[in-house]
Amino acid sequence: MTVAVIALAAAGCGKSSQDSGDTSATSSGKYNGKGIGLAYDIGGKGDQSFNDAAYAGFQKAEKEFGISGRDIEPQDGESDADKVQRLDTLARAGYNPIIGVGYSYAPAVKEVAAKYPKITFGIIDDNEVTASNVVDMVFAAEQSSYLAGVAAASATKKNHIGFIGGVDVPLIHTFEAGFDQGAKSVNPKIKIESQYLTQTAQEGGFSSPDKGKAAAQGQIDAGADVIYHAAGLSGQGVIEAAATAKVWAIGVDSDQYSQSALAKYKDYILGSALKNVGGAVYDLVKSVYQGKPETGVVEGTLKTGGVGFADTNPKYKALTKVVAAVDKAKQEIIDGKVTVATK
């Protein structure tokens, strides 16, 4: 049971990738921007999760449309003013569209989009910015997290599972709400450990594998044998701890079983709750390239294929009862028989 996600290419590090395509390749006859501007969230490129999913869409669009792009890394401890400057730099250079990866870009997108009405701006995981040249790309993360909860409760041998959120904010509460509801739909009495790594993103909740590893080890020591993370780069530590203890981990946003940086741990990645961030980035670029820019809120759900649960691991596929439970839950959500809570 899969969602169509854009495969991740190998992602390197560095503060900024300069133009790599041919800006003259505008075969549609409608595109006149310099290329795609992409500004990463905390954790940056190489997180094997949220940011890398956006980068995959960015790369696919560059290749298919023959246009260039520039992607820029965040700085440690940066302010909203730093984000404004980053987006403004991309806008002044003529990039179109310009995409802020993550809800933290909302104030910056609102401010900069107002200054450049002819440029399309996208923001991922926020729907608060309303303007004719802004696209709010959001995902029903509670639905994919519900499937993660069903998988966890169906696979556990101890009726004891765990959730680790990167930062204690409403967006990540959505992941936890869906996970809890899905797990309890299988076993109302299941024990669920829950921990948030930090109160703010600036404290490293999305960018500290060591924090994720320590939290996961604590939940494993408490008895959990399946742990789901919604913690960005910090989730690498969660997965490492789970694999070391030979218990299941469930990844997030991207198909983490398939990622080279996590290859040594993949046998213990049961699956991943997917958000097709790469697809959303690609679709936005395509709309601008074709001269018909998207606008308003664009939501990815199970029904639209915008979220899902990765079934790449053969060991998951061998757990036929778990697979059947997840497939059944997916269909119930699509059919409207189950409504997933967001809080």
Side-chain angles (χ1 to χ4, degrees):
M1 191 193 88
T2 58
V3 58
V5 294
I6 293 173
L8 293 180
C13 297
K15 295 302 178 185
S16 173
S17 295
Q18 297 294 333
D19 298 344
S20 56
D22 176 7
T23 58
S24 66
T26 55
S27 58
S28 72
K30 299 174 183 177
Y31 181 75
N32 59 2
K34 183 175 182 179
I36 314 157
L38 191 70
Y40 294 114
D41 199 3
I42 291 171
K45 188 163 64 178
D47 68 350
Q48 303 297 319
S49 183
F50 183 67
N51 288 290
D52 278 2
Y55 181 59
F58 170 91
Q59 283 193 305
K60 181 182 179 184
E62 277 190 317
K63 182 178 180 180
E64 289 200 10
F65 306 128
I67 57 177
S68 66
R70 183 179 180 191
D71 58 322
I72 307 179
E73 298 281 357
Q75 305 296 321
D76 292 337
E78 68 180 24
S79 65
D80 285 344
D82 294 319
K83 291 181 173 64
V84 167
Q85 183 178 25
R86 182 175 304 134
L87 299 186
D88 192 77
T89 296
L90 290 169
R92 281 189 285 107
Y95 290 95
N96 187 22
I98 296 168
I99 301 165
V101 184
Y103 66 89
S104 64
Y105 274 94
V109 167
K110 182 177 181 179
E111 180 176 336
V112 181
K115 291 173 59 179
Y116 299 93
K118 293 184 179 181
I119 293 176
T120 296
F121 290 80
I123 181 167
I124 298 170
D125 277 346
D126 182 87
N127 62 1
E128 299 298 316
V129 183
T130 56
S132 60
N133 64 326
V134 173
V135 182
D136 298 305
M137 296 177 281
V138 297
F139 302 86
E142 71 278 5
Q143 294 182 354
S144 52
S145 295
Y146 184 99
L147 301 186
V150 169
S154 301
T156 180
K157 296 178 179 178
K158 298 181 179 180
N159 291 320
H160 193 167
I161 61 178
F163 171 81
I164 294 173
V167 180
D168 190 358
V169 292
L171 174 65
I172 307 302
H173 297 169
T174 298
F175 288 81
E176 182 181 15
F179 181 71
D180 284 7
Q181 185 179 342
K184 289 175 181 176
S185 75
V186 175
N187 177 5
K189 296 183 179 180
I190 195 167
K191 186 172 183 180
I192 306 175
E193 304 287 337
S194 177
Q195 182 175 346
Y196 288 85
L197 300 180
T198 63
Q199 293 299 303
T200 67
Q202 288 75 18
E203 295 171 280
F206 292 133
S207 56
S208 305
D210 58 328
K211 294 181 189 296
K213 183 176 180 180
Q217 189 59 58
Q219 293 190 354
I220 293 165
D221 291 344
D225 64 350
V226 187
I227 301 175
Y228 171 47
H229 84 85
L233 182 64
S234 300
Q236 292 190 22
V238 174
I239 291 169
E240 179 185 352
T244 301
K246 298 184 177 180
V247 302
W248 289 118
I250 296 178
V252 77
D253 293 342
S254 300
D255 180 3
Q256 298 200 291
Y257 173 85
S258 300
Q259 294 171 3
S260 57
L262 299 171
K264 68 174 76 171
Y265 312 125
K266 68 179 185 178
D267 285 348
Y268 295 96
I269 301 175
L270 182 66
S272 298
L274 300 172
K275 290 198 302 188
N276 194 8
V277 173
V281 168
Y282 171 84
D283 287 345
L284 174 56
V285 176
K286 181 179 179 180
S287 75
V288 174
Y289 178 75
Q290 293 181 338
K292 299 178 181 179
E294 291 178 336
T295 188
V297 177
V298 178
E299 183 179 28
T301 67
L302 282 177
K303 194 168 186 176
T304 66
V307 299
F309 190 77
D311 60 0
T312 316
N313 190 345
K315 291 187 176 181
Y316 168 79
K317 293 179 181 178
L319 300 172
T320 54
K321 291 183 179 179
V322 178
V323 173
V326 173
D327 285 348
K328 180 173 180 285
K330 177 186 178 183
Q331 197 59 50
E332 288 176 341
I333 293 171
I334 290 173
D335 292 343
K337 295 178 181 178
V338 171
T339 300
V340 187
T342 56
K343 298 181 181 179

